[in-house]
Amino acid sequence: MNELCALPPPPQSRAWEALRRLALSSGLALVLVFMVSVLVSDEPLKAFRAFSLGPLNSARALATLLEAAAPLMLSATGALVAFKAGHFTLGGEGQVYAGAFMAALAGAWCPEGSFGLLAAVMAGVLGGTLVAAPAAAGKRWAGADVLLVTFLLSQAALHVVDWAISGPFRDAGNNLIAMDPIPQASLLPRLVHNLPLTPVPLVAGLVSVGVWIFLSRTRCGTMLALYGRNSRFAALQNFPVRSFEWAPIIFAGAMHGLAGAALSLGSNGTAVRGISGGLGWNAIGAALVAGGEPLAVVPAAVLFSWLDSGARQAAIFTELPPDAAMIIKALVIMAATAKPAYTRLKALLGGRKRT
Amino acid sequence: MKRIVFLALAVAGLWSCGGTGGSPAKPASVAVFVPGVASGSPIYEMLVSGAARAVEERPGTEFKVIEGGYDQSGWLDALKAIAASGEFDLIVTSNPALPELCVKVAAEYPEVRFFVADAYMDGQRAIHTVLYNQLEQGYLVGYLAGALSVHKGSNRAGLIAAQRYPTLDRLIQPGFEAGLLAADPGMKLEYREIGNWYDANRAAELAASLYNDDVEVILAVAGGAGQGVIAAAGSAGASVVWLDGAGYQLGPDVVVGCATLAQDRLVYERVSALLDGKDLWGVADIVGATDGYVGFDRDGPAYKALPESLRAEMDTVMAKLAEGKPAFTLDSF
Amino acid sequence: MDALALVGIHKSFPDTGTVALSGADLRVARGEIHALVGENGAGKSTLARIACGMLAPDRGGIEVRGSAVAFRSRRDAERAGIGLVPQYSMLAEGLTVAQNISLGHEPRRLGLFYDSRRAEYEAAMLAQRYGFSVPADAVVAALGPSQRREAEILRAMARGADILVLDEPTSILDESETRTLFDLLRRLRAAGAAIVYISHRAREILDLADRVTVLRDGVALTTLAAGQLDECGLAELIAPTGACASGRDGASAPGQPVLQFLGAEAGPLGPVDLVVRSGEIVGVAAFAGNAMDTLEDLSAGVRLPDRGTVAAFGLSMDRLRRRGHRIAYIPTDREGRGMSLRSSLRDNVLAGRLSGYSPVEYAARKTPHADALALAKSMDVQGHMAAPAEALSGGNRQRLVLARELDKRPELVVVANPSQGLDPAARSKALGAIRKARDQGAAVLVLSQDPDDIRDLADRAFVLYRGKLKPIDSEEAGGLSALLTGART
């Protein structure tokens, strides 16, 4: 059938759309938290209050929340760039784990101090990149399916790093299955005394701003976004499609590796077995809830961390299982990404527009 | 916009109804952190029961049990969350790995104190630890395993562990080997590792392969995964020795010996002392057979079914150990 | 009494905030072919869907044979005798014509078993009554476009429709098939059917319709007898831009060879020998199934020949773009090759210019935004710059691609089906822009299934028939049509 008729009204700016999506997601999360509290806990109001306010009830709690969200901001930004380029990578988990492992390795072996810290950070980035590299090369030279290859490589990386941490690189003197401790001087420094706040949240914020500038204010970023939505069109417009085939995947790997390094160089002080803890998967969720907007990744990551932290707090005060956070996260992701539901919810809360 | 404002007001109303979470700490409030799952793990069940009994005798004391699950990488966050809640003065836990994590938490939450059983760390003012002399514990079951193996015509015994860790490497296994050799100098030890504390199927596979290879007795140091060893023993008509109690209930036909730790008594005593204000902070104690914290449970049906001579030997071993013979001296760890 | 009357129809779509119709009227008499025309986005489809029960109007009334009706579904409209022949076939490919016609109303033996013989008989009788040639027992997948149209019309009539709504029925037909369809429609008219004919092809409308209703901005502007109009006048009614040019103007001045096919073969195409020089427009006309798509792919460098060579500026096509030559490509598949649907109109229209901005200039956004607006205006692209391209109508998408590609001041232009989806005024503008590119020295290759495009543009013309090119010496309408007719698959 034929065309539209009169001119539609101008669309909302993407920033506003992203903020509204986040606000709706947060509101939905609160509603779900309350419903779960009612269903599972004997003291639903107490559970609800602990869940929602617990992570925010002091400067230390807020700092902890930001600190926990920071690696997720980094990995979600990486995932977002890959998604923008049309590469749906599922390799985040293995890339984070490899990054954590390499950072711990370098941190423990290199001379302690700033040099050790820098070496550990770079090693972490390298670790994530190495896990992503075969998928990038496969896409560039063989047209490999990024989704499948990144997932398989990630699974392999998880097993290999697990073996490495439990086996040849295990700290025999530690009752935890973990690597050698990183010297204190090589760990991430505290920004404020007595608060568990390192530079990572700031770095993550800067990275997401940088990505936003790249995507919205540079020619290459515009080309990348056009390529991500129609690679054939981009090739016909003479865009550097060969670079776009691999570079975003590598960038995502580097960001996940950096996130892994942040885990090892933070309060853990080394790489503990299982340290990635689902970060790679949460990154996909956060990128989706952010609606593809780099600046929205920061609040989306904070939302996810708040859910995790809140569930832990609620579990302390009530019978609410900590896994409740996972269920709520899944529902929030579904709602934020299900367009019909989102459109209807938006219409319900925003009212209908008229020309 | 109106709807968003209404929603926010509703949420604020709910928040204000939610009780007094976050109020200043009460005179006494105890959280028991189980680094794993209590059910099915005797050492953690005794941790919980011991602490609960101490708290029951002090009315008005808050008490909560929080399980951390098997993922070790999540324990630090879980401990931090407990400390961050502001609800608990004392966190009680048990695991050799926990003191290091408690130190990190204590640095951020200096108002919270920690008691860690089955662990050793001295000089940390926020932490009190008590370690069991598990050389003795290993020795007891090692002697029984050795004696029973010889009785059944085997010169090999097995040790299946969840993972390598210092307590196993430096206490349990050496003690077990010493017991085997004390029973018979020709005994040899076969070691296998599962890789985690919960995969019972893998444990069963490893145990079955040992039993099929002339091993008659296996010591399982594997937490929940140990049930796989018991299942394999049942299929092979072989035997298992156990640590930390409740082994007989898990496998009444196959668990022939259980070297126990009086974890419940220890935790009860120490938590009571701490709640009563005794200054044990920074102290790391080691307790053993001479104190009565390491022992042997004679009440297992499979143990009672053992030949009289074997049991008589075990009685002698136990009596001598209680006197400090052999002397497994352990001043620090 | 009108067979069908839609009076004061209002319709808006709250989800997108679009107001499609603002009091549109349409009255169709028995025994009449009534054309409904309008610019892209004027509301033709929406009005047709309301008439067929697929949409409910917000306000306004529908009368069928003088009685007021309110349709809740397409079924209601079918029961009222209104049948829709959609633009894109909705027949089940794997079934026969008779099965498609009887779908949902299957004749049954003993009330249980599908009576295929009866279905075929009834379909054949219906076809014979109106002089349709499509066989009732033919599987749809094996039918050509014209016969599929016949099957669609038969299906509507089998449900008792004597009011037919045809939406762009000739969009997939060649000239001969179009004439056959027109004969059929005239027979139906003679039998008393009321036919609503939606199209933007001025020549067809004037050839076929009795009356013409022009929609503009959701309102019926006027209803006139077709005899009162000519092409120019119709185009001015649809969009009063004054751009009522048709036919060719300007002369070509061919220069150096730019695009050269030397014995090029690929799949069903070839061998092809063809030269397109700078400053000339070479037109190739063909119908679907004659390897036109392969010729397009080779011309645009999307595919390399299996044998022979295709070169531009002396370079093979795969190395061409890396050398920085300015090539404009307006593809048939504009959604798949010509734009990024989910990207904004602004980004799509600027895609050809991005490399020309400095980083600072682009980041500041002022110049690129102004340029995008100017580009869109140059081809009257109607849409908001920040809105995704998928919100654009088909005609506006075509205009977007034309605006962007021709803005490159190309040295080589490959344009396929330049007027697809364009109303007469827009078509005129598009052809003008292509001629301008030629006048500025570009080598232009026009590939089209619409002979009018070739007639109106080409300095030299060819016909592509079964993969082989044949030059056309005469510009006479009969000459081109005859060749194309002879080239029908």
Side-chain angles (χ1 to χ4, degrees):
Chain A
M1 280 285 195
N2 285 350
E3 312 82 28
L4 293 173
C5 294
L7 207 59
Q12 290 273 3
S13 81
R14 290 204 312 251
W16 259 124
E17 271 299 304
L19 275 174
R20 282 177 70 147
R21 181 193 299 264
L22 274 165
L24 285 171
S25 300
S26 305
L28 177 65
L30 272 176
V31 168
L32 288 170
V33 164
F34 183 71
M35 282 169 61
V36 171
S37 304
V38 165
L39 285 169
V40 176
S41 173
D42 295 331
E43 298 170 276
L45 290 178
K46 194 175 179 186
F48 176 70
R49 196 159 180 276
F51 202 124
S52 50
L53 275 186
L56 310 171
N57 65 3
S58 66
R60 206 155 42 189
L62 270 172
T64 304
L65 183 69
L66 279 175
E67 194 61 26
L72 184 56
M73 292 176 203
L74 288 167
S75 50
T77 303
L80 185 144
V81 168
F83 293 169
K84 277 282 187 194
H87 302 310
F88 292 98
T89 163
L90 297 183
E93 195 65 15
Q95 291 158 14
V96 168
Y97 206 18
F101 168 75
M102 294 284 285
L105 197 62
W109 281 8
C110 289
E112 57 182 88
S114 304
F115 178 81
L117 173 59
L118 188 63
V121 168
M122 288 170 59
V125 169
L126 180 64
T129 307
L130 284 174
V131 176
K139 174 68 181 173
R140 168 66 182 86
W141 277 287
D145 184 289
V146 170
L147 188 134
L148 195 58
V149 173
T150 52
F151 175 72
L152 292 172
L153 285 170
S154 170
Q155 293 302 105
L158 289 171
H159 285 301
V160 167
V161 174
D162 252 357
W163 163 82
I165 294 179
S166 314
F169 293 94
R170 182 168 171 201
D171 175 11
N174 192 340
N175 286 288
L176 283 176
I177 304 180
M179 295 171 67
D180 289 339
I182 300 167
Q184 184 69 33
S186 297
L187 294 177
L188 289 162
R190 298 275 174 103
L191 290 179
V192 180
H193 183 57
N194 271 350
L195 282 185
L197 198 61
T198 67
V200 180
L202 188 62
V203 168
L206 288 172
V207 167
S208 76
V209 168
V211 166
W212 171 74
I213 291 172
F214 170 74
L215 287 173
S216 65
R217 297 298 178 114
T218 70
R219 298 161 300 163
C220 190
T222 304
M223 289 183 195
L224 183 76
L226 285 166
Y227 165 83
R229 287 171 171 154
N230 191 338
S231 56
R232 224 169 14 159
F233 165 65
L236 288 167
Q237 292 302 312
N238 234 4
F239 293 167
V241 295
R242 289 194 180 170
S243 301
F244 292 158
E245 283 169 355
W246 61 269
I249 302 172
I250 292 293
F251 177 78
M255 285 299 104
H256 283 90
L258 183 59
L263 292 175
S264 291
L265 295 168
S267 52
N268 284 295
T270 186
V272 180
R273 183 174 161 182
I275 194 172
S276 57
L279 185 61
W281 303 110
N282 278 325
I284 296 172
L288 291 173
V289 169
E293 286 304 316
L295 294 179
V297 162
V298 171
V302 171
L303 171 66
F304 274 37
S305 292
W306 168 69
L307 285 171
D308 283 334
S309 184
R312 274 195 290 270
Q313 286 295 312
I316 290 166
F317 289 100
T318 67
E319 300 311 312
L320 198 75
D323 293 340
M326 267 173 36
I327 300 165
I328 293 170
K329 258 191 262 181
L331 290 169
V332 166
I333 291 169
M334 268 171 54
T337 53
K339 204 171 172 188
Y342 172 63
T343 305
R344 285 199 197 100
L345 195 56
K346 196 173 75 165
L348 182 68
L349 291 178
R352 293 178 174 188
K353 290 198 183 294
R354 301 211 176 273
T355 53
Chain B
M1 178 50 91
K2 279 186 193 169
R3 287 184 174 90
I4 292 175
V5 169
F6 173 76
L7 189 60
L9 284 172
V11 166
L14 285 169
W15 276 340
S16 66
C17 295
T20 57
S23 57
K26 297 189 172 67
S29 52
V30 177
V32 174
F33 175 68
V34 177
V37 174
S39 174
S41 177
I43 194 84
Y44 294 142
E45 285 173 342
M46 286 191 281
L47 167 73
V48 172
S49 62
R53 187 154 70 99
V55 166
E56 267 169 33
E57 292 177 2
R58 288 154 185 81
T61 307
E62 292 260 340
F63 180 71
K64 177 78 183 173
V65 177
I66 299 121
E67 291 183 332
Y70 294 112
D71 181 8
Q72 298 180 355
S73 66
W75 291 349
L76 180 60
D77 285 335
L79 275 172
K80 278 190 190 175
I82 298 170
S85 69
E87 287 289 301
F88 305 103
D89 312 301
L90 174 64
I91 297 176
V92 178
T93 185
S94 168
N95 188 290
L98 266 292
E100 287 156 18
L101 302 182
C102 294
V103 165
K104 291 179 181 171
V105 179
E108 291 176 25
Y109 300 92
E111 66 275 17
V112 179
R113 301 291 174 100
F114 301 84
F115 166 53
V116 189
D118 191 19
Y120 188 90
M121 178 175 278
D122 66 353
Q124 289 286 338
R125 278 301 297 170
I127 302 173
H128 169 51
T129 64
V130 180
L131 178 72
Y132 300 101
N133 190 340
Q134 288 180 285
L135 283 164
E136 297 170 338
Q137 194 189 23
Y139 178 80
L140 282 168
V141 287
Y143 190 95
L144 176 61
L148 182 57
S149 297
V150 167
H151 178 76
K152 289 190 171 182
S154 170
N155 70 337
R156 289 153 73 230
L159 169 61
I160 293 180
Q163 65 183 61
R164 281 261 172 236
Y165 58 106
T167 306
L168 175 73
D169 296 339
R170 291 158 61 183
L171 300 179
I172 297 174
Q173 186 169 340
F176 187 69
E177 281 184 284
L180 288 176
L181 294 172
D184 187 309
M187 285 296 297
K188 290 185 176 39
L189 175 65
E190 298 287 343
Y191 173 80
R192 299 288 185 272
E193 195 171 306
I194 300 164
N196 58 61
W197 294 87
Y198 51 82
D199 191 349
N201 287 333
R202 176 87 182 119
E205 280 171 14
L206 293 169
S209 76
L210 286 174
Y211 288 135
N212 286 341
D213 199 21
D214 270 349
V215 167
E216 288 293 336
V217 187
I218 292 176
L219 168 63
V221 185
Q227 306 230 18
V229 178
I230 290 174
S235 301
S239 305
V240 177
V241 288
W242 202 260
L243 301 181
D244 304 340
Y248 291 133
Q249 288 147 25
L250 293 170
D253 297 328
V254 299
V255 178
V256 294
C258 226
T260 56
L261 302 177
Q263 168 99 317
D264 45 357
R265 178 159 70 90
L266 176 83
V267 170
Y268 163 72
E269 290 169 356
R270 296 300 169 121
V271 171
S272 297
L274 291 169
L275 288 175
D276 292 341
K278 190 167 181 187
D279 186 3
L280 293 169
W281 304 116
V283 172
D285 286 335
I286 300 175
V287 298
T290 51
D291 309 290
Y293 291 100
V294 175
F296 188 88
D297 186 351
R298 293 178 175 85
D299 283 334
Y303 178 75
K304 289 178 186 171
L306 289 177
E308 174 62 36
S309 56
L310 271 180
R311 284 184 279 129
E313 270 185 72
M314 279 304 295
D315 289 342
T316 310
V317 165
M318 281 184 256
K320 283 192 175 165
L321 197 61
E323 294 167 7
K325 297 168 192 168
F328 291 105
T329 311
L330 193 63
D331 296 322
S332 70
F333 187 70
Chain C
M1 180 172 61
D2 293 316
L4 173 68
L6 291 93
V7 181
I9 301 293
H10 290 256
K11 180 66 184 173
S12 62
F13 297 97
D15 286 352
T16 57
T18 308
V19 176
L21 296 167
S22 306
D25 297 321
L26 175 68
R27 294 179 188 277
V28 186
R30 278 196 81 229
E32 173 186 55
I33 297 177
H34 193 119
L36 182 61
V37 302
E39 249 185 323
N40 300 328
K44 307 187 292 293
S45 298
T46 307
L47 193 61
R49 285 157 80 185
I50 288 172
C52 297
M54 294 163 73
L55 285 175
D58 297 335
R59 271 187 290 149
I62 305 173
E63 286 178 10
V64 178
R65 297 179 209 87
S67 303
V69 293
F71 298 139
R72 281 172 303 179
S73 67
R74 194 170 162 181
R75 267 260 156 115
D76 286 350
E78 282 177 358
R79 284 196 203 104
I82 300 175
L84 170 68
V85 179
Q87 182 177 7
Y88 300 107
S89 173
M90 286 162 60
L91 297 169
E93 293 276 316
L95 300 181
T96 64
V97 171
Q99 286 168 333
N100 269 283
I101 287 171
S102 64
L103 208 58
H105 309 271
E106 292 87 350
R108 302 218 174 259
R109 256 177 305 179
L110 302 175
L112 286 174
F113 306 105
Y114 173 61
D115 192 342
S116 61
R117 273 204 194 164
R118 190 154 146 228
E120 279 175 22
Y121 173 76
E122 287 176 358
M125 286 294 105
L126 190 65
Q128 196 180 45
R129 193 194 313 168
Y130 295 106
F132 286 47
S133 65
V134 61
D137 59 350
V139 174
V140 168
L143 295 178
S146 171
Q147 288 184 316
R148 288 181 191 226
R149 275 280 177 259
E150 290 186 17
E152 290 272 13
I153 295 172
L154 273 177
R155 187 168 69 161
M157 297 187 69
R159 283 151 175 68
D162 60 352
I163 302 169
L164 289 174
V165 178
L166 288 89
D167 185 7
E168 301 282 355
T170 60
S171 62
I172 54 167
L173 301 182
D174 61 35
E175 198 163 305
S176 166
E177 288 165 344
T178 300
R179 277 204 303 278
T180 305
L181 176 68
F182 282 10
D183 290 341
L184 203 148
L185 292 177
R186 290 184 188 110
R187 284 200 291 278
L188 290 175
R189 176 182 59 188
I195 298 171
V196 178
Y197 186 91
I198 300 172
S199 177
H200 58 257
R201 294 186 172 181
R203 273 193 202 154
E204 285 178 8
I205 291 161
L206 296 173
D207 190 18
L208 180 68
D210 301 308
R211 286 194 296 161
V212 179
T213 293
V214 179
L215 277 188
R216 198 193 294 168
D217 294 333
V219 177
L221 188 71
T222 186
T223 299
L224 292 170
Q228 292 177 285
L229 294 165
D230 61 11
E231 267 189 66
C232 235
L234 184 57
E236 280 298 305
L237 276 174
I238 292 169
T241 59
C244 192
S246 66
R248 298 184 299 112
D249 57 273
S252 72
Q256 295 300 314
V258 172
L259 178 63
Q260 291 179 290
F261 288 71
L262 293 172
E265 291 181 57
L269 178 73
V272 166
D273 292 290
L274 180 66
V275 177
V276 184
R277 298 171 187 277
S278 60
E280 74 166 346
I281 298 175
V282 171
V284 178
F287 299 127
N290 282 287
M292 180 68 109
D293 50 350
T294 309
L295 182 60
E296 180 185 336
D297 290 349
L298 290 176
S299 306
V302 171
R303 179 179 175 174
L304 295 177
D306 301 331
R307 276 172 294 280
T309 60
V310 179
F313 308 101
L315 299 165
S316 69
M317 299 303 281
D318 57 335
R319 286 158 50 199
L320 191 61
R321 286 195 166 78
R322 278 179 265 155
R323 294 297 183 93
H325 284 286
R326 298 189 304 279
I327 301 159
Y329 173 37
I330 296 116
T332 303
D333 181 10
R334 62 194 169 212
E335 285 80 19
R337 295 183 181 184
M339 62 182 62
S340 169
L341 281 174
R342 285 184 293 132
S343 298
S344 68
L345 168 51
R346 180 183 300 122
D347 285 349
N348 271 288
V349 87
L350 282 179
R353 280 201 180 198
L354 288 174
S355 307
Y357 295 111
S358 71
V360 170
E361 196 178 22
Y362 191 78
R365 303 216 282 193
K366 193 174 164 190
T367 306
H369 284 206
D371 288 347
L373 206 55
L375 266 177
K377 275 190 177 161
S378 71
M379 284 298 298
D380 296 328
V381 181
Q382 306 245 344
H384 284 284
M385 302 308 290
E390 65 190 348
L392 296 175
S393 63
N396 280 304
R397 293 178 190 180
Q398 183 73 347
R399 290 188 235 210
L400 181 161
V401 176
L402 283 160
R404 181 190 64 232
E405 293 301 308
L406 297 176
D407 172 65
K408 289 176 184 173
R409 294 186 65 86
E411 299 161 271
L412 170 64
V413 179
V414 176
V415 52
N417 296 302
S419 57
Q420 66 169 344
L422 297 182
D423 56 60
R427 177 178 181 276
S428 185
K429 199 157 192 175
L431 299 197
I434 294 170
R435 281 187 218 106
K436 189 177 167 190
R438 175 208 50 199
D439 295 342
Q440 287 169 345
V444 181
L445 176 63
V446 175
L447 310 170
S448 183
Q449 295 183 30
D450 185 348
D452 288 344
D453 289 343
I454 307 304
R455 277 195 210 100
D456 291 343
L457 278 174
D459 301 314
R460 286 189 296 132
F462 294 81
V463 157
L464 185 63
Y465 170 56
R466 288 189 180 174
K468 305 283 191 295
L469 275 182
K470 290 184 182 174
I472 304 171
D473 294 323
S474 168
E475 286 178 32
E476 286 172 14
L480 183 58
S481 299
L483 275 168
L484 288 170
T485 300
R488 186 181 59 178
T489 52

